[in-house]
Amino acid sequence: RRSSDLEHVAPRIEQIRDKFGLPTDRTARLILQMPQVLTLSWDTINIRIDFLKSIGMRSSQMVRVITNAPQVFQLSVDESLKEKVRFLTDEAGIDKDDVPVVIAKLPRILTYSIDNGLRKKITYWREEIGLAPHEVAQLVRMCPMALSLDIDKNIAPKIRFLYDEANETLQDTVLRGSSFLMYSLEGRIRPRFEFLRSKNIQKSVSVYLVPDDKTFAEKVCKSNLAEYQAFVREKRWKTALA
């Protein structure tokens, strides 16, 4: 029985790999995430691929969607996928030509609920944070994770830090291309901010988050990696005791 199953699955895996031009590791990732892809008809798969092509997605972008959110193969084109694209253009304000870029950055956006997820995030950025519609569109283009991250556990604490401690705004950081929202507040943002403050150095968040630890310590802080790591360890130890 096992030998028979393998004989049936192996050709299918090869077909999937060849159809999408995937390397072996990405093919494995796709199948591990959604084993059902091995049983879907080619008509089912092709309909979704044709839709992605119709909105202007390039081959490389489609590969990102397929390998990071293979669940799209199980979603209705008319009732789900088209509605997500409509949401991005009509409610998030994304230009039609930018939709493929946004989806390629965050393929899982096609699997999110509009009513229970995406729309609530748009409302938050507009009504709670006070961003204008064009700023929300700019935010989503630059950082689609703004529609994915948990508001209470992730976004709100970072916004409070940005405004209350760093004395910066979203316009100063995220809307200028900073990947601020992508980083951990306690694992990267605050430790670097406090280390800079201990050195009496003032730098914009957009400057000190991107470099690796060694570059940050040496180039931004004029220090060294060992000193920065010791500072972080001490801070975490004191926080644990508090």
Side-chain angles (χ1 to χ4, degrees):
R1 173 69 180 180
R2 184 174 298 177
S3 176
S4 176
D5 289 344
L6 185 59
E7 289 176 359
H8 172 73
V9 169
R12 177 72 171 189
I13 293 175
E14 186 174 346
Q15 290 169 355
I16 291 173
R17 184 187 63 205
D18 293 343
K19 180 176 181 63
F20 300 124
L22 300 176
T24 301
D25 60 335
R26 287 203 172 189
T27 304
R29 178 178 178 178
L30 165 61
I31 295 170
L32 285 172
Q33 286 194 80
M34 193 182 126
Q36 299 93 320
V37 73
L38 295 173
T39 62
L40 294 176
S41 71
W42 284 117
D43 283 344
T44 296
I45 292 174
N46 288 333
I47 288 172
R48 277 74 182 169
I49 294 299
D50 288 343
F51 170 74
L52 295 177
K53 290 179 179 178
S54 75
I55 64 172
M57 297 204 81
R58 302 191 303 272
S59 296
S60 59
Q61 293 171 327
M62 285 192 288
V63 166
R64 284 189 54 81
V65 173
I66 291 165
T67 54
N68 289 280
Q71 296 82 2
V72 298
F73 289 131
Q74 294 181 309
L75 298 177
S76 165
V77 171
D78 291 330
E79 297 178 7
S80 183
L81 298 180
K82 285 183 179 179
E83 287 301 302
K84 306 295 169 47
V85 171
R86 184 204 60 77
F87 172 85
L88 288 173
T89 56
D90 295 357
E91 297 191 43
I94 303 300
D95 186 84
K96 181 180 177 181
D97 293 338
D98 290 330
V99 168
V101 177
V102 171
I103 294 175
K105 287 182 178 179
L106 184 65
R108 295 192 311 277
I109 200 169
L110 292 174
T111 70
Y112 294 158
S113 165
I114 291 177
D115 292 334
N116 296 322
L118 297 174
R119 187 169 287 127
K120 289 182 178 179
K121 300 292 172 55
I122 292 294
T123 300
Y124 171 81
W125 288 112
R126 287 180 178 170
E127 298 183 5
E128 297 294 325
I129 303 303
L131 295 184
H134 75 277
E135 292 177 319
V136 173
Q138 185 179 354
L139 172 66
V140 174
R141 278 197 307 272
M142 292 182 169
C143 182
M145 288 291 287
L147 298 182
S148 173
L149 299 171
D150 184 275
I151 292 175
D152 294 331
K153 296 179 180 179
N154 196 307
I155 297 175
K158 289 177 182 175
I159 298 300
R160 286 195 296 270
F161 166 84
L162 190 65
Y163 282 58
D164 298 342
E165 297 182 54
N167 294 316
E168 296 189 46
T169 67
L170 283 170
Q171 288 80 359
D172 296 326
T173 55
V174 179
L175 297 186
R176 288 189 176 181
S178 169
S179 48
F180 169 75
L181 291 174
M182 303 289 290
Y183 292 108
S184 165
L185 178 58
E186 301 302 332
R188 192 179 188 100
I189 299 172
R190 181 168 279 119
R192 293 193 173 194
F193 171 78
E194 293 185 349
F195 188 64
L196 280 166
R197 189 165 58 178
S198 74
K199 297 288 186 181
N200 294 316
I201 298 174
Q202 289 188 335
K203 293 286 184 180
S204 169
V205 169
S206 59
V207 171
Y208 65 74
L209 288 183
V210 177
D212 59 36
D213 284 349
K214 186 174 186 295
T215 303
F216 165 73
E218 295 178 353
K219 303 296 184 182
V220 180
C221 303
K222 307 305 179 185
S223 179
N224 58 74
L225 180 59
E227 183 182 6
Y228 173 61
Q229 290 176 332
F231 176 86
V232 171
R233 285 195 299 270
E234 181 181 4
K235 280 289 183 180
R236 288 176 180 169
W237 180 72
K238 289 181 178 179
T239 301
L241 290 180

